[in-house]
Amino acid sequence: MKTYLAGRALPQFQKRLLTWFRAHQRDLPWRSSRDPYRIWVAEIMLQQTRIAAVMPYYDRFLERFPTVDSLAAAPQQEVLKLWSGLGYYSRARNLHSAAKQIVAEHAGKFPRTLEAALELPGIGVYTAAAVLSIAYDVPLAVLDGNVARVLARLHAMRGDLRVPRTWRALTETAERLLARRAASDWNQALMELGEVICTPKSPRCLVCPVVQSCRAFAEGISGEIPAPRKKRAPVAMTIAAVILLDSKDRTLLVRDPGAHDEVLFSRMWQFPAIQVSREAKPELEKYFGETFALKKLTLEELPSARHGVTFRNITLLPFVARVAELPAVPRSRILALKRLGSVPVSSATKKLAAAVVGASSKA
Ligand code: SF4
C-alpha cells in the first residue's frame, strides 16, 4: 500500500481531485469565508449530524453569535437554547467554554498551532486539523469516517476501518497523500468526494474524478468497502415523566434527574422523570413521595411516544398531574408550560410537552 499513489502518480492524483473540487464544490454556508470561528462552529455542529439538519441551526447560531467574543459573552442558557434540538449538547457546552478560553488566552483568535488548539475543550485531533487546515492552510491531514472510506476504497483496503491497526495505516496514508501547499482545498476535496461521489452506499464511480486511481473500482469491490461494522445491540427502556401543572398552568422543570439515564434529556431542563422497571404509576408515586414530598398524586396517563438516542429505543410515558402548589426543590424552575420554548430543552422533553398540548386540545 505504501508504494501506491506514489512518485509521479501522486501529483497527478492530487491535481485531478483539486481541479474537480474547485469546479464543483457545493455552496455551503461555512465555505463563504476562511474565518476560523465559522469553520470551527460548522465542524462541531457537523459531528454526528447531517449537513441538511445543521444548516438552519448554523445560520441562526451565527446570526446571534457572529464572533468568538459574542459567543464567549453569552450566558450558557442562551447558547444551549440555540442548540436545542440538534442533540449531543456537550458539544455546545464545550464550544462555549472554548470560546471563553480563546478570548482569555488568545485575544479572541482561534489558535494557529495544533498544540494550542488541542488545549481547547471539545477539540480533538480531527477538529483541530480540520479548522487549522481549512482556515489557515496548516498542512495537517484530516481523517474522519468519510475520508477513511475514500482512502480505503482507493487502496482496496478491506475489513473494519476502525480497527486500530487499519486506522493507523489510514492516518499514515492521509498524511502521505496530503497536498501540503493546498491543505485547505485538499482536505475539503476529500471530504466532499466522500459526501457526494464516494458515498457509503452506491458510490458513483462512473463520475468520480479519481476513478483512474481507484483500486477498489479496478477490482470491482467498491461496494464491499468498508466492511459493515457490528452494531451495538439496541437497548429498550421506558421513561415515565410527570408534567405537574398548577392552577395557572405553570409546570416544574428540573436539571438533576438522578433517576434515569442522563443522556436522554442531555442535562437540560426537563420534567421530573424516572426509568420504569415494571409499572409506571406506583414507581412514580414512590419517587414523587420520596423526592418531592408529593403524596397522593392523581396521575393522568397520556399517549406514549417513541424516542431513539444512539442504541437506546426509548418509550416515553407522559403523565399529567394537577397540584395545588408546585414543590420547591433545588435545581428547578417553574414556568408556564406554554413558555417551555424559552428555555433550552431536549427533543424528548418537547415530545412530552406535545403530549400534554395534544391532550388538552382534544379535551
Ligand atoms: Fe470511490 Fe468509486 Fe471514486 Fe473509487 S472510483 S474513489 S470507489 S467513487
Side-chain angles (χ1 to χ4, degrees):
M1 190 177 86
K2 281 200 175 109
T3 53
Y4 187 61
L5 285 175
R8 284 168 54 192
L10 180 55
Q12 281 170 6
F13 165 73
Q14 289 171 333
K15 191 173 170 197
R16 269 194 215 110
L17 186 56
L18 284 169
T19 305
W20 167 80
F21 175 70
R22 287 166 181 159
H24 299 285
Q25 63 177 294
R26 286 168 302 168
D27 184 16
L28 299 173
W30 41 92
R31 287 190 178 150
S32 62
S33 89
R34 297 280 286 268
D35 177 355
Y37 171 64
R38 299 179 73 87
I39 292 162
W40 168 41
V41 172
E43 285 300 331
I44 299 294
M45 284 192 171
L46 288 166
Q47 287 168 6
Q48 332 229 20
T49 313
R50 288 173 303 105
I51 288 180
V54 162
M55 293 276 221
Y57 286 89
Y58 183 78
D59 289 340
R60 274 199 299 272
F61 198 87
L62 268 292
E63 202 171 299
R64 169 61 188 88
F65 307 121
T67 60
V68 178
D69 295 86
S70 56
L71 176 58
Q76 192 191 65
Q77 290 300 296
E78 200 182 347
V79 179
L80 288 172
K81 191 168 165 280
L82 277 173
W83 205 274
S84 181
L86 200 53
Y88 303 100
Y89 296 93
S90 58
R91 296 182 299 176
R93 292 189 185 95
N94 284 332
L95 189 70
H96 189 222
S97 308
K100 289 183 179 174
Q101 200 167 318
I102 290 173
V103 169
E105 297 173 15
H106 302 281
K109 297 261 183 304
F110 195 92
R112 285 182 169 265
T113 66
L114 184 61
E115 295 70 28
L118 289 174
E119 292 289 313
L120 299 169
I123 300 215
V125 173
Y126 169 80
T127 307
V131 177
L132 293 174
S133 63
I134 296 171
Y136 299 139
D137 259 326
V138 177
L140 291 166
V142 294
L143 186 68
D144 65 353
N146 259 333
V147 174
R149 182 177 63 255
V150 172
L151 298 182
R153 285 175 176 166
L154 285 166
H155 293 82
M157 291 169 71
R158 292 172 179 272
D160 182 348
L161 306 186
R162 296 280 176 175
V163 168
R165 194 165 51 90
T166 309
W167 196 258
R168 269 198 304 279
L170 286 164
T171 305
E172 285 166 19
T173 305
E175 284 163 4
R176 191 176 61 76
L177 299 185
L178 174 68
R180 307 186 75 77
R181 286 197 225 146
S184 177
D185 279 358
W186 177 257
N187 282 335
Q188 292 184 81
L190 271 178
M191 295 174 190
E192 186 87 343
L193 189 71
E195 278 158 18
V196 302
I197 303 275
C198 195
T199 48
K201 289 178 191 153
S202 315
R204 300 163 58 210
C205 302
L206 296 179
V207 292
C208 176
V210 289
V211 64
Q212 305 89 327
S213 310
C214 184
R215 277 193 166 170
F217 178 76
E219 294 175 23
I221 56 169
S222 312
E224 294 164 34
I225 297 175
R229 296 184 73 192
K230 284 193 190 120
K231 279 200 182 152
R232 187 167 173 174
V235 174
M237 60 172 70
T238 301
I239 301 280
V242 177
I243 297 100
L244 294 170
L245 289 176
D246 69 6
S247 58
K248 293 179 182 156
D249 272 351
R250 294 183 311 166
T251 192
L252 176 81
L253 298 176
V254 293
R255 277 298 279 283
D256 186 9
H260 58 74
D261 183 340
E262 70 172 28
V263 171
L264 178 59
F265 298 105
S266 309
R267 293 188 286 132
M268 299 169 99
W269 291 112
Q270 61 162 92
F271 301 113
I274 59 168
Q275 183 168 345
V276 174
S277 48
R278 295 170 74 88
E279 268 193 75
K281 273 195 180 179
E283 290 177 40
L284 281 170
E285 280 160 4
K286 182 166 181 284
Y287 175 70
F288 273 82
E290 287 171 358
T291 312
F292 298 102
L294 273 178
K295 307 241 180 318
K296 293 190 191 149
L297 271 184
T298 306
L299 295 167
E300 181 195 337
E301 189 168 352
L302 302 175
S304 63
R306 311 286 303 168
H307 190 70
V309 181
T310 59
F311 58 90
R312 303 167 185 80
N313 287 335
I314 300 160
T315 303
L316 293 171
L317 295 182
F319 290 82
V320 71
R322 288 279 173 188
V323 289
E325 200 175 337
L326 293 164
V329 288
R331 291 173 62 76
S332 71
R333 67 185 293 171
I334 289 172
L335 88 171
L337 185 62
K338 66 179 180 209
R339 289 198 55 238
L340 191 72
S342 66
V343 294
V345 293
S346 75
S347 44
T349 296
K350 286 180 187 163
K351 284 183 188 172
L352 291 164
V356 190
V357 174
S360 47
S361 64
K362 278 184 203 148

